[in-house]
């Protein structure tokens, strides 16, 4: 992942995991999912946009009849990436925020992460990509919920999902 979020349930890091699937292994898994009859494939992470083959795998999954969606922190969604999401046929992008600017940036351990994420949402909207907000509620950010609803209305975000904190990985220390 490109961030080091304090509540990450996986304890994701910026380097590749030695057990990460390569492209051919990932395609074999997609084949298995299609045979099994899975209706949807969620590309998540860490950060899925760090995979060089994300769009290749997304297109491949679509040829197998799977609806494809992405779960991301949104910081890497430029206009070019948003257009590639649209062109590849991903049906939805769930973008995580952990509060308003100060709280989110503290959670993400990166100053400016909130603004990058917000721009990622805007880039999706500009390119006609369905994108919604994902918010993990915990004792450190619940006071931002009213402001999140204001942000959702201001930005025209059509979908918001609220989640509970998974107490594992780095999140277990919270």
């Amino acid at each position: 992942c490109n961030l080091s979020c304090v509540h990450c349930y996986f304890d994701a890091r910026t380097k590749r995991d030695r057990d990460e699937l390569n492209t051919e292994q990932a395609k074999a898994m997609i084949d298995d999912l299609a045979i099994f009859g899975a209706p949807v494939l969620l590309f998540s992470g860490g950060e899925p946009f760090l995979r060089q083959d994300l769009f290749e795998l997304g297109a491949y999954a679509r040829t197998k009849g799977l609806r494809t969606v992405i779960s991301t922190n949104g910081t890497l969604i430029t206009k070019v990436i948003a257009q590639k999401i649209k062109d590849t046929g991903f049906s939805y992008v769930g973008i995580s925020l952990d509060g308003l600017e100060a709280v989110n940036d503290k959670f993400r351990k990166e100053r400016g992460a909130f603004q990058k994420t917000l721009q990622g949402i805007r880039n999706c909207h500009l390119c006609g990509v369905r994108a919604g907000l994902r918010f993990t509620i915990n004792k450190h950010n619940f006071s931002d919920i009213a402001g999140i609803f204001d942000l959702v209305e201001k930005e025209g975000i059509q979908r918001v999902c609220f989640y509970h904190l998974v107490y594992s990985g780095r999140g277990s220390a919270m």
Side-chain angles (χ1 to χ4, degrees):
C1 188
N2 61 318
L3 299 175
S4 296
C5 304
V6 297
H7 64 310
C8 182
Y9 62 87
F10 185 69
D11 200 18
R13 295 179 173 85
T14 55
K15 64 179 188 171
R16 274 181 80 117
D17 188 285
R18 61 179 159 74
D19 294 324
E20 186 173 319
L21 300 179
N22 65 34
T23 303
E24 292 312 310
Q25 291 168 325
K27 285 181 177 180
M29 184 189 72
I30 291 168
D31 290 339
D32 289 344
L33 289 170
I35 290 167
F36 180 72
V40 179
L41 177 56
L42 170 67
F43 290 87
S44 187
E47 175 51 52
F49 289 109
L50 291 179
R51 275 196 77 111
Q52 298 297 312
D53 60 358
L54 174 65
F55 295 104
E56 177 182 351
L57 294 174
Y60 184 77
R62 299 265 302 133
T63 69
K64 298 297 179 175
L66 294 166
R67 185 169 72 89
T68 54
V69 297
I70 299 172
S71 178
T72 175
N73 62 45
T75 61
L76 302 176
I77 303 176
T78 63
K79 289 179 187 172
V80 170
I81 294 296
Q83 190 60 53
K84 286 178 84 171
I85 293 167
K86 174 86 169 167
D87 294 344
T88 303
F90 284 98
S91 63
Y92 179 76
V93 180
I95 301 175
S96 298
L97 272 179
D98 294 306
L100 299 175
E101 191 162 8
V103 171
N104 183 80
D105 288 0
K106 185 176 180 181
F107 266 72
R108 301 294 170 158
K109 292 186 178 180
E110 182 179 313
R111 188 180 190 125
F114 178 86
Q115 290 300 326
K116 289 178 186 175
T117 298
L118 198 54
Q119 190 58 54
I121 293 168
R122 291 172 179 155
N123 289 338
C124 284
H125 289 165
L126 284 171
C127 292
V129 173
R130 287 183 54 234
L133 192 65
R134 302 171 57 113
F135 187 92
T136 300
I137 301 171
N138 62 72
K139 67 183 179 181
H140 303 286
N141 68 1
F142 74 92
S143 62
D144 279 1
I145 292 174
I148 291 295
F149 279 113
D150 292 340
L151 178 74
V152 163
E153 185 174 21
K154 178 184 172 206
E155 295 292 329
I157 299 169
Q158 299 294 310
R159 180 177 177 176
V160 183
C161 298
F162 290 94
Y163 299 96
H164 63 85
L165 179 64
V166 176
Y167 294 98
S168 64
R170 287 191 290 264
S172 64
M174 294 184 69

